[in-house]
Amino acid sequence: MNRVTSTDYDSPVGPVLLTFVDDALVRLDVAHGGLDRARAEIAARLGVVPDPDPAPGADLVRQLDEYFDGDRQAFDVPLDWRLVRGFTRAALEATLEIPYGETAAYGEVAVMAGAPGAARAVGTACAASPFSIVVPVHRVVRADGSIGEYGGHPEVKRHLLGIEGAVRDAGGLRAAG
């Protein structure tokens, strides 16, 4: 039987609930509605209440600290994709190819995921990502370069892109350098 655990993480963008099945991350939830609500949502999705245990999440907590300090560009954590199906997974995997500090438009990610013309579906996939931050859906922007809503929290997306050196200019976002 799989062991489901959770770890609370106090990030610069708000409280985060890290949930693991065994040693694989099944969900990283920036808990805008609070940690209790995030725990209830993941319990409903998985059918089990995660045991509070910081041990499985310790390495990811360290990596997140490094990321928020500007010292990490990619995450090295096993992912449990059980909450992701079909095109959503292809789109999320495609976002892993967007280099740190750069952005790609929803339509570009659709092409990368093998479904040209599925830009709206990419937006839906990004909004449904259970791996926020670790799978860089924040690097996906509108065709005009504007950042979009990011689950109703564009300030979080702006903060993450700021860490990565993507800066706002008149035409939208561009890689700094």
Side-chain angles (χ1 to χ4, degrees), residues 51-94:
D51 293 326
D53 184 354
D59 188 49
L60 181 53
V61 164
R62 179 187 52 77
Q63 292 181 48
L64 286 164
D65 284 342
E66 292 169 356
Y67 174 79
F68 284 113
D69 287 344
D71 297 328
R72 174 171 288 274
Q73 295 186 3
F75 293 91
D76 181 22
V77 61
L79 300 175
D80 181 322
W81 291 89
R82 76 182 62 211
L83 299 177
V84 184
R85 305 220 187 293
F87 180 74
T88 297
R89 181 169 178 167
L92 296 179
E93 287 177 336

Side-chain angles (χ1 to χ4, degrees), residues 61-164:
V61 164
R62 179 187 52 77
Q63 292 181 48
L64 286 164
D65 284 342
E66 292 169 356
Y67 174 79
F68 284 113
D69 287 344
D71 297 328
R72 174 171 288 274
Q73 295 186 3
F75 293 91
D76 181 22
V77 61
L79 300 175
D80 181 322
W81 291 89
R82 76 182 62 211
L83 299 177
V84 184
R85 305 220 187 293
F87 180 74
T88 297
R89 181 169 178 167
L92 296 179
E93 287 177 336
T95 68
L96 290 167
E97 303 301 318
I98 305 168
Y100 180 91
E102 296 184 25
T103 60
Y106 292 101
E108 293 171 310
V109 174
V111 170
M112 294 164 56
R120 291 187 109 152
V122 168
T124 300
C126 289
S129 175
F131 308 119
S132 179
I133 304 170
V134 170
V135 173
V137 296
H138 57 276
R139 296 180 190 155
V140 184
V141 298
R142 293 178 175 163
D144 67 1
S146 62
I147 65 170
E149 288 301 309
Y150 199 66
H153 298 277
E155 70 282 0
V156 172
K157 188 171 192 172
R158 194 171 294 113
H159 184 84
L160 298 174
L161 291 171
I163 289 169
E164 296 187 11

